[in-house]
Amino acid sequence: MQPAEPLIPLSERLTRDLAAGALDVPVLPQVAGDVLSLCVDQDGSVGALAQLIERDQALAGNLLRIANSPAYRGAVEVVALHQALTRLGLAAIRDITLSITMQGLSAPLVDLHALAQRFWQRSLGTALWAREVARHRRRNVEDAYLCGLLHNVGATVVLRWLAEQPDPVAEEDAERLALEHAHVAGICLADAWDLPPVVVLAICHAHPDAVPEALAEDPRAEGLQGIIELSHAFLASASQPEESRVEWLSAQAPAQRLNLYPDDLGMLLLNAEMIATQLQFMAD
């Protein structure tokens, strides 16, 4: 009889499994992958998208709900999927499809589901703010949203691993481990899902030493880091009194690094109500 494996502290076991590629990285759902591919295809059409999305009732229902939300609602309520797709446009469909897919990663979790939802909502809020910061800075808006949404995706992958362990993990320990190892797990998922290099840069935004050698000199890295960190600051500023939010943001390092002045930050804060509305409808 083989001797039992000695007990290994959870953090060490997680590090070992990450190094060995032994984490169970979730598979990108087929319909979601097809939708994302079609959205970046120059020949993609609303009709072809509708045929794809009709295969996934949950995705279709969510797209209809969001198309009728205050963030996108027109004068007439949308009742047909084709109408919803026309109203949203390809860029929004891609963003919403990926957002719904990311939210679904926490489905297998039970005890850690609330923590996974907090991670998800923070990532979605980061994406929404990153899009506005990028627009203000005249950067690529679609890349900024995608990077904001996925920059911490590895944390949920780690939570899935923790949920499979034989002994329960306290939520505070799970949060610490997930954040500590998120960049390594995120790179594994980016490779499995064939995500663009700009997403890998975002995943490594707080760990520049972990950036793959092929991307080490990518000029987008520093700008992405600033946009993501400033988006975090905008989320945190919601706890500040309304009259002092601009002053508080001005004192934050990301705003200074991006050379944003109080007038710039004040203009960006005009989007706060819209972002809160979008976050509410997309995170539900």
Side-chain angles (χ1 to χ4, degrees):
M1 177 183 296
Q2 291 288 334
E5 181 182 14
L7 291 176
I8 300 174
L10 196 60
S11 180
E12 293 181 19
R13 192 157 71 243
L14 174 56
T15 300
R16 183 192 66 184
D17 283 0
L18 280 167
L23 259 67
D24 180 22
V25 177
V27 176
L28 180 65
Q30 182 66 46
V31 170
D34 291 345
V35 169
L36 296 176
S37 296
L38 195 56
C39 283
V40 298
D41 188 345
Q42 296 298 320
D43 298 323
S45 69
V46 170
L49 268 176
Q51 289 182 345
L52 273 177
I53 293 170
E54 283 170 352
R55 290 158 40 194
D56 188 322
Q57 292 184 348
L59 178 58
N62 270 298
L63 283 166
L64 276 170
R65 179 177 63 86
I66 292 170
N68 283 309
S69 73
Y72 294 100
R73 184 165 53 213
V76 180
E77 181 181 5
V78 167
V79 295
L81 181 60
H82 194 282
Q83 289 176 297
L85 300 184
T86 300
R87 174 176 292 178
L88 292 169
L90 293 181
I93 292 166
R94 183 204 68 169
D95 293 346
I96 294 166
T97 299
L98 190 53
S99 300
I100 294 167
T101 300
M102 299 310 302
Q103 190 175 20
L105 290 184
S106 62
L109 302 173
V110 179
D111 294 339
L112 299 175
H113 184 76
L115 177 57
Q117 284 298 101
R118 290 204 301 274
F119 281 157
W120 151 246
Q121 290 177 9
R122 179 174 171 82
S123 292
L124 179 56
T126 301
L128 294 170
W129 273 114
R131 182 165 59 193
E132 298 308 318
V133 173
R135 182 175 288 121
H136 187 81
R137 297 287 295 166
R138 294 181 173 82
R139 302 288 180 89
N140 188 301
V141 172
E142 293 184 4
D143 278 357
Y145 183 94
L146 188 65
C147 289
L149 189 69
L150 296 174
H151 78 284
N152 199 38
V153 65
T156 301
V157 176
V158 173
L159 291 185
R160 290 166 64 100
W161 181 89
L162 291 171
E164 296 170 354
Q165 302 311 301
D167 298 318
V169 183
E171 186 173 292
E172 59 269 24
D173 292 333
E175 182 172 11
R176 176 181 57 80
L177 285 169
L179 293 176
E180 181 180 333
H181 296 279
H183 63 292
V184 181
I187 292 173
C188 293
L189 184 134
D191 183 59
W193 287 14
D194 195 24
L195 295 173
V198 69
V199 174
V200 178
L201 290 173
I203 288 170
C204 298
H205 77 280
H207 299 272
D209 292 342
V211 174
E213 186 176 350
L215 299 177
E217 302 300 323
D218 196 306
R220 296 171 293 183
E222 186 175 354
L224 276 174
Q225 179 179 359
I227 288 174
I228 290 170
E229 291 183 355
L230 183 59
S231 299
H232 290 168
F234 272 108
L235 289 173
S237 75
S239 63
Q240 299 294 315
E242 189 69 29
E243 63 276 10
S244 63
R245 286 182 77 178
V246 169
E247 182 181 358
W248 185 86
L249 282 164
S250 297
Q252 304 306 304
Q256 297 171 6
R257 194 158 59 246
L258 290 174
N259 294 318
L260 291 175
Y261 296 96
D263 286 349
D264 299 306
L265 298 169
M267 288 181 63
L268 282 165
L269 280 173
L270 294 176
N271 297 298
E273 184 175 351
M274 175 195 70
I275 287 175
T277 301
Q278 289 180 306
L279 185 56
Q280 176 185 349
F281 277 86
M282 292 178 70
D284 285 345

